[in-house]
Amino acid sequence: MSPKELLYIEDALGHTQFLMVQCRTAASQLSDPALQQQAQQLLDDNRKLFDAFYKLV
């Protein structure tokens, strides 16, 4: 893997980590159970995406 490809993966990992933090924060602050569930689902999806990117390294 080239250094540029590694930088792309590192960038993607950073973005997915940021989104996980945002979704976790939203899920903890929302009072509507349906919205909490949606935020939690987005968190889970981003965690899977993070894991997929991490396996590339």
Side-chain angles (χ1 to χ4, degrees):
M1 190 174 293
S2 74
K4 191 166 188 164
E5 289 171 322
L6 286 173
L7 287 174
Y8 285 134
I9 293 171
E10 182 181 344
D11 192 41
L13 287 169
H15 286 293
T16 54
Q17 281 183 315
F18 172 76
L19 290 171
M20 287 190 299
V21 169
Q22 296 301 308
C23 291
R24 188 178 297 115
T25 301
S28 70
Q29 294 177 351
L30 291 167
S31 58
D32 184 335
L35 291 176
Q36 280 181 329
Q37 183 179 9
Q38 182 65 35
Q40 184 62 45
Q41 182 61 46
L42 289 170
L43 173 60
D44 295 341
D45 291 345
N46 278 294
R47 186 175 295 124
K48 290 176 189 173
L49 186 58
F50 180 90
D51 292 342
F53 282 129
Y54 193 79
K55 287 179 184 178
L56 293 174
V57 177

